[in-house]
Amino acid sequence: MDPVMMAIGFGLVAVLYGVLTSRQVLAASPGNARMQEIAKAIQEGAGAYLGKQYAAIGFVGVIMAVLVFVLLGPVEAGAFVLGAVLSGVTGFIGMNISVRANVRTAEAARLSLQAGLTMAFRSGAVTGMLVAGLALLAIAGYFYALVASGLAPTSRAVVNALVALSFGASLISIFARLGGGIFTKAADVGADMVGKNELGFDEDDDRNPGVIADNVGDNVGDCAGMAADLFETYVVTIGATMVLVALLVGGADAARLMTLPLLACGVCIVTSIIGTFFVRLGGGSIMGALYKGLLVTGVLSVPALWFATAMIFPDMNAVIGTAERSFTGRSLFYCMMVGLGVTALIVWITEYYTGTGYRPVQSIAKASDSGHGTNVIQGLAVSMESTAMPTLVIVVGIIATHQLAGLIGIAFAATAMLALAGMIVALDAYGPVTDNAGGIAEMAGLEAEVRERTDALDAVGNTTKAVTKGYAIGSAGLAALVLFATYTEDLAQFFADVPVDFSLSNPYVVVGLLLGALLPYLFGGMAMTAVGRTAQAVAQDIRAQFRENPGIATREVRPDYARTVGLVTAGAIREMIVPSLLPVLAPVVVYFAITAVAGQGNGFAALGALLMGVIVSGLFVAISMTSGGGAWDNAKKVIEQGAYGGKGSPAHQAAVTGDTVGDPYKDTAGPAVNPMIKITNIVALLLLAILAG
């Protein structure tokens, strides 16, 4: 059977699973009238924001689509549009499910902890499987259509189309990730600044006009944004692997091998679906229940990936030769096993640095007892330390896979990591659903035991969100290395007559490295500033509402939630544009500026060095921000559970300060660096294709 058709079939299975499971979620009870009223306000706010955000993104997307059409052609433009549209669709689906599952999770938690867990995870699984299914359908379907039209799989038109498809997904992803991140953290920080620190309210006190905006932000940031992010990472990784195969492997071997990433991801959709049925409380550990599903998925993926590899390589020991390094089907299978191992280790390391029961989070909670300054110092220390172990794991993974199968081995390790995206996104989307469920339980005045259950689910949700971000960043690092390898191979094919010196003795290489390393810091700084600026506006609006209507404090007057949501919406959309265009424009500007000064060869050298600088610097910035921010958040949770004086104590006030700093770290700047790394590399590849004519 044709492996590409099998991959398309597996993609359809994922979509069918998502549709059927979403019906189960929506069939559950949405609770009492007050719960439904709160949920409706969140739904309307999220829908209004996403509509305005997509309108702004669509304007930029149309301009880019026209440029791709003019500079590359209709095939590439069609691929760009497909990637962009489906990236937006996954974000919309993620948000749409989340804002309906939150109230149903709160209602389910009234029955039992298991019922709440099942509802939250089931809704996350809808998003996860639809992300994986639509991503696989996009790339497998377009590849199949191009080959069926008569194009050779390794032809330049197909290669350019795969890169353009990745560009479309990445462009939408960075806007969605950054815009959603600015929204969610500006609302969160602004609400906390006034509600917790000035008025002494609990986190989800419905007298605070910012609480609905905060709940809206959870959905547009952690559901819509993360769904678009991992859709993009999935498409880019598979596409980069296929492109690298087309460039390095010749003849019929290349055509066969280009289908292996599609089939590998397809079989792992099945293992992920099976894994979702094993998420059950055993000894009472919520994280353990979630890990059961992930563990089953990982274990079943081993024989599944062997099956996929054996389909492409009936003789697993047959040697395929390339200009760089020869390899066998067996060695590629081992590379994919390394990818699964890297995934498992990054998940474990991220949980260690962000889980409430481990040293890093406990150390921040303890430091809070001494004051605000020590909390921030210890949080920064943990964020820096958290980069070490993931980096060592990635380094070992790169060395091992390169020894096994060269650059293609690294590419297949990254593919195996992304093959588990369905289950990983399910774990992530679980987080904002439980966060919202806790808020709805608080605002609706449900029984204390319900809030205890939703708090327990939410504390784990903070860790699962951090785990997903660590996974996304680790896989992005490997994917970006594959894209860089593709850049150097493209350079050799397109511009063989242009001498390019990548040695460190070339000052333009050093210039490129420095500029590339700068980009994640500049991007992160712009994102943090955007959150701070919008959060100040939110805080001022909340204070103004209390001044204008003193009855809000006594519950005689209801706050104007829509006014606050509208303010955050306008701020997030305005602030996301310039930072999102930075990685699109930087490669183009650097290439043309250096070429004008020192010639085309040095322009290519500086651009290549820029890509490597972005990868290295971005990896550290992203891991540091996401793990550090998650640790700050859960240190606050530890104190709220009764440690060091509990809620309202000086330690709690210090922890709120640390959490306020960590919020834009973990949910805005850090995660958005992930698509930023890849889009910089993709733009460089498209630039080479355009220059080659």
Side-chain angles (χ1 to χ4, degrees), residues 49 60 100 155 160 180 234 242 261 294 307 324 451 579 622 631 653:
Y49 169 75
V60 177
R100 285 161 175 77
S155 66
N160 286 348
Y234 197 102
M242 294 171 72
L294 183 58
F307 163 78
E324 188 229 355
R451 187 62 210 244
Q653 292 172 6

Side-chain angles (χ1 to χ4, degrees), residues 364-599:
I364 298 173
K366 184 177 181 181
S368 305
D369 202 29
S370 302
H372 299 254
T374 48
N375 170 284
V376 173
I377 290 169
Q378 186 59 27
L380 289 172
V382 167
S383 74
M384 293 177 185
E385 178 194 321
S386 68
T387 62
M389 291 172 68
T391 302
L392 292 175
V393 168
I394 291 170
V395 165
V396 171
I398 289 170
I399 293 172
T401 52
H402 192 269
Q403 289 293 314
L404 285 166
L407 292 172
I408 287 178
I410 298 173
F412 274 93
T415 295
M417 289 185 72
L418 264 300
L420 302 186
M423 175 57 77
I424 298 290
V425 174
L427 296 178
D428 177 81
Y430 157 94
V433 170
T434 56
D435 193 351
N436 268 205
I440 291 170
E442 179 79 21
M443 288 183 275
L446 299 186
E447 301 86 346
E449 64 179 9
V450 177
R451 187 62 210 244
E452 287 174 10
R453 291 167 184 163
T454 57
D455 278 349
L457 294 169
D458 182 30
V460 171
N462 282 330
T463 301
T464 62
K465 288 187 287 185
V467 162
T468 306
K469 288 161 191 163
Y471 159 85
I473 292 158
S475 60
L478 290 181
L481 282 177
V482 177
L483 289 168
F484 177 76
T486 304
Y487 172 82
T488 58
E489 289 301 317
D490 260 357
L491 201 57
Q493 289 196 18
F494 282 141
F495 301 96
D497 56 336
V498 178
V500 181
D501 177 14
F502 279 117
S503 70
L504 291 175
S505 60
N506 181 354
Y508 296 103
V509 169
V510 177
V511 166
L513 285 170
L514 290 173
L515 291 174
L518 164 68
L519 286 178
Y521 283 94
L522 181 59
F523 178 84
M526 294 167 78
M528 296 281 284
T529 300
V531 171
R533 198 155 40 214
T534 310
Q536 288 174 26
V538 172
Q540 290 168 4
D541 176 71
I542 294 171
R543 294 186 189 110
Q545 289 206 38
F546 276 96
R547 282 196 308 270
E548 295 162 8
N549 295 291
I552 293 174
T554 57
R555 300 189 189 276
E556 297 173 58
V557 179
R558 178 156 293 181
D560 189 345
Y561 299 122
R563 169 173 146 182
T564 309
V565 170
L567 186 151
V568 187
T569 297
I573 291 173
R574 181 178 62 251
E575 297 280 3
M576 76 179 181
I577 300 294
V578 174
S580 296
L581 290 176
L582 181 65
V584 178
L585 298 176
V588 178
V589 172
V590 167
Y591 167 76
F592 283 109
I594 300 300
T595 298
V597 171

Side-chain angles (χ1 to χ4, degrees), residues 50 54 91 173 176-178 180-181 219-230:
L50 217 59
Y54 280 1
S173 168
R177 202 71 181 92
L178 186 60
N219 297 290
V220 300
D222 281 319
C223 277
M226 178 54 83
D229 185 356
L230 277 170

Side-chain angles (χ1 to χ4, degrees), residues 39 73 95 133 137 143 158 186 211 257 265 279 287 303 321 353 360 365 374 428 433 496 523 579 584 613 662 685 691:
M95 180 277 295
L137 284 173
F143 178 73
V158 172
V211 295
L257 191 53
C265 289
V279 176
M287 200 72 208
Y353 276 99
T374 48
D428 177 81
V433 170
F523 178 84
V584 178
L685 293 179
L691 292 171

Side-chain angles (χ1 to χ4, degrees), residues 63 100 117 131 227 382 436 619:
I63 294 172
R100 285 161 175 77
L117 170 64
V131 166
V382 167
N436 268 205
L619 192 68

Side-chain angles (χ1 to χ4, degrees), residues 132-208:
L134 290 173
L136 187 58
L137 284 173
I139 195 160
Y142 207 71
F143 178 73
Y144 181 83
L146 292 177
V147 174
S149 70
L151 293 172
T154 57
S155 66
R156 196 70 239 177
V158 172
V159 167
N160 286 348
L162 292 174
V163 175
L165 181 67
S166 301
F167 180 49
S170 295
L171 185 69
I172 302 307
S173 168
I174 195 168
F175 278 106
R177 202 71 181 92
L178 186 60
I182 292 170
F183 187 108
T184 182
K185 291 305 107 178
D188 194 356
V189 171
D192 283 355
M193 283 167 60
V194 181
K196 287 183 180 178
N197 293 347
E198 296 178 18
L199 301 174
F201 290 172
D202 286 335
E203 182 162 352
D204 293 303
D205 193 310
D206 62 347
R207 291 172 293 176
N208 187 340

Side-chain angles (χ1 to χ4, degrees), residues 219-426:
N219 297 290
V220 300
D222 281 319
C223 277
M226 178 54 83
D229 185 356
L230 277 170
F231 174 91
E232 170 260 349
T233 304
Y234 197 102
V235 168
V236 168
T237 303
I238 300 174
T241 302
M242 294 171 72
V243 168
L244 194 62
V245 168
L247 295 175
L248 289 178
V249 181
D253 287 334
R256 285 191 303 128
L257 191 53
M258 286 178 76
T259 64
L260 180 54
L262 303 173
L263 186 57
C265 289
V267 295
C268 287
I269 281 176
V270 176
T271 64
S272 295
I273 290 174
I274 295 172
T276 63
F277 294 103
F278 286 82
V279 176
R280 301 284 302 175
L281 285 171
S285 167
I286 300 170
M287 200 72 208
L290 295 171
Y291 275 168
K292 255 188 267 182
L294 183 58
L295 180 62
V296 168
T297 299
V299 169
L300 292 179
S301 294
V302 175
L305 289 172
W306 175 270
F307 163 78
T309 310
M311 270 204 70
I312 307 301
F313 294 92
D315 180 0
M316 293 284 277
N317 296 313
V319 176
I320 291 181
T322 71
E324 188 229 355
R325 174 165 304 196
S326 298
F327 54 87
T328 65
R330 187 179 297 273
S331 61
L332 287 184
F333 170 74
Y334 292 149
C335 288
M336 288 191 279
M337 293 302 98
V338 172
L340 294 182
V342 169
T343 299
L345 287 171
I346 286 181
V347 165
W348 177 77
I349 292 166
T350 308
E351 187 197 352
Y352 172 73
Y353 276 99
T354 58
T356 55
Y358 299 103
R359 175 191 61 81
V361 168
Q362 292 288 337
S363 71
I364 298 173
K366 184 177 181 181
S368 305
D369 202 29
S370 302
H372 299 254
T374 48
N375 170 284
V376 173
I377 290 169
Q378 186 59 27
L380 289 172
V382 167
S383 74
M384 293 177 185
E385 178 194 321
S386 68
T387 62
M389 291 172 68
T391 302
L392 292 175
V393 168
I394 291 170
V395 165
V396 171
I398 289 170
I399 293 172
T401 52
H402 192 269
Q403 289 293 314
L404 285 166
L407 292 172
I408 287 178
I410 298 173
F412 274 93
T415 295
M417 289 185 72
L418 264 300
L420 302 186
M423 175 57 77
I424 298 290
V425 174

